[in-house]
Amino acid sequence: MDNYECPVCYESCYYHPERKLFHSDVCKHRICGSCLHIHFGENGGGRGERRGFCPVCRTSLTRANYKETDPDMEVLETEKEIRKRVEAIYNSTRERFPDTPAYDDYREKKEDIVYQLVSGTDEAVKRKLEAELRAYERQNTKLIKENKEERKQREKEKIFQIVQREGIFYEVVKRRPALSRTAVDKDQLVHPLERQYAPYFQEEQAAVAVSAESGETARPLNHSIKEDADVPRPRYKNREQFEKAELASGYTPQMVFAKGLSELVGSVLFLLQGKGRSTA
């Protein structure tokens, strides 16, 4: 609850929610609304331009430098920022370690660093950890870059696999309700991941174009595939299995239509039953 305590009057805004808590965007110190009123007046000189000083560190500032704050959200945003920075430096994957316990120790170390930087009270420990982070980043620049590229490649492979497996089936279903006979221009539909990760697909298209111009065969994303014969191909026992496999998850247009019709009938019956009960 210390985050809610005013350093001037030592009153807790947590137990007195009517006391608003403010923080300075200059020195980051907090102060409650009552103490802020005492130091700067009710309106801070009319437009928040009345100069004063921080009652904690005596930094010169104005009333306009103070903004209402939520300590819990401040802690959350701080943790997100620190965790992102630590993860970007300590970014090794499981394959870099001889066994799982060693990898777990590595992950536990990261969590300890995040906890100390976010919730630790010893400033000397925080400064030491910051120095260790900078030293590790400086000494392992090449490794960090390799890990980053490896993570990016894995993410790309996973996204491409999802897009290839699902296609635009669900987009077609969303654009064309079960009872609608309106045609859908499939050329205008793209998978949501293609929009969200557009740079990945642009890079892949550029790589394919370069390979085509140079006469080289485009390399598959799966590095275990060396020859065309290595590409896994599904085997079908009959034409029906083949036709179902052409659609995402095996849903045929007839199945989608029947499912939509069933849900529509169920909704209508539910509304009619509710109307009957209300009139009774």
Side-chain angles (χ1 to χ4, degrees):
M1 304 305 175
D2 292 343
N3 291 334
Y4 285 88
E5 186 178 86
C6 174
V8 179
C9 64
Y10 299 104
E11 288 287 347
S12 174
C13 295
Y14 184 84
Y15 297 107
H16 302 281
E18 69 278 1
R19 283 176 173 264
K20 302 298 183 181
L21 199 62
F22 296 80
H23 85 283
S24 165
D25 56 11
V26 178
C27 59
K28 308 303 180 184
H29 286 128
R30 298 186 180 93
I31 185 174
C32 71
S34 299
C35 294
L36 187 66
H37 171 72
I38 294 174
H39 277 75
F40 291 95
E42 184 175 358
N43 55 13
R47 291 182 297 176
E49 298 176 353
R50 179 179 175 182
R51 296 208 65 82
F53 55 85
C54 171
V56 179
C57 64
R58 314 296 289 182
T59 298
S60 177
L61 37 69
T62 68
R63 170 64 179 83
N65 292 125
Y66 283 95
K67 302 292 187 297
E68 187 174 344
T69 183
D70 183 346
D72 287 341
M73 290 303 299
E74 281 189 17
V75 173
L76 178 61
E77 292 299 325
T78 301
E79 181 177 353
K80 286 169 59 178
E81 181 181 347
I82 292 176
R83 185 174 295 278
K84 183 178 180 180
R85 183 157 55 92
V86 173
E87 288 287 348
I89 297 174
Y90 287 93
N91 62 348
S92 293
T93 57
R94 167 65 179 82
E95 289 73 19
R96 298 283 185 181
F97 298 86
D99 50 40
T100 300
Y103 181 54
D104 289 342
D105 291 341
Y106 175 78
R107 296 170 63 187
E108 187 173 349
K109 179 181 179 181
K110 289 195 298 184
E111 291 300 320
D112 288 341
I113 294 174
V114 172
Y115 175 79
Q116 289 295 338
L117 292 178
V118 174
S119 305
T121 57
D122 192 332
E123 293 298 328
V125 173
K126 289 186 177 182
R127 288 193 296 270
K128 181 181 178 181
L129 289 175
E130 290 286 358
E132 290 178 358
L133 277 175
R134 291 192 295 269
Y136 182 89
E137 184 178 16
R138 186 169 56 253
Q139 297 168 5
N140 299 274
T141 303
K142 183 178 179 180
L143 176 63
I144 293 173
K145 184 177 180 180
E146 291 176 355
N147 290 335
K148 182 179 179 180
E149 291 298 325
E150 183 179 346
R151 286 176 178 270
K152 179 181 177 181
Q153 185 64 25
R154 287 188 176 185
E155 184 180 55
K156 287 175 64 176
E157 291 178 6
K158 185 176 181 180
I159 291 172
F160 288 163
Q161 289 172 3
I162 294 174
V163 172
Q164 183 178 11
R165 182 172 64 250
E166 296 182 354
I168 59 172
F169 176 79
Y170 297 106
E171 291 297 301
V172 172
V173 172
K174 286 193 297 184
R175 297 291 183 89
R176 186 176 63 186
L179 298 179
S180 174
R181 301 298 182 182
T182 306
V184 177
D185 186 1
K186 295 183 179 181
D187 293 335
Q188 302 297 323
L189 300 180
V190 295
H191 196 284
L193 289 178
E194 289 191 53
R195 291 191 291 268
Q196 184 177 353
Y197 296 93
Y200 286 174
F201 290 88
Q202 293 170 1
E203 291 175 4
E204 185 65 15
Q205 292 172 359
V208 171
V210 171
S211 299
E213 292 178 1
S214 61
E216 298 179 358
T217 304
R219 296 182 179 180
L221 291 175
N222 188 342
H223 299 294
S224 64
I225 298 177
K226 306 299 182 183
E227 305 292 341
D228 288 345
D230 298 331
V231 179
R233 291 181 172 82
R235 299 182 181 276
Y236 308 106
K237 295 181 179 180
N238 50 54
R239 183 173 182 79
E240 182 181 359
Q241 290 183 356
F242 173 77
E243 291 178 349
K244 286 184 177 181
E246 290 296 300
L247 299 170
S249 303
Y251 283 93
T252 64
Q254 293 77 13
M255 294 171 63
V256 175
F257 179 83
K259 180 65 175 177
L261 182 60
S262 174
E263 292 182 356
L264 177 62
V265 171
S267 299
V268 172
L269 291 176
F270 177 79
L271 293 174
L272 291 176
Q273 291 173 359
K275 185 177 181 181
R277 286 194 297 267
S278 62
T279 55

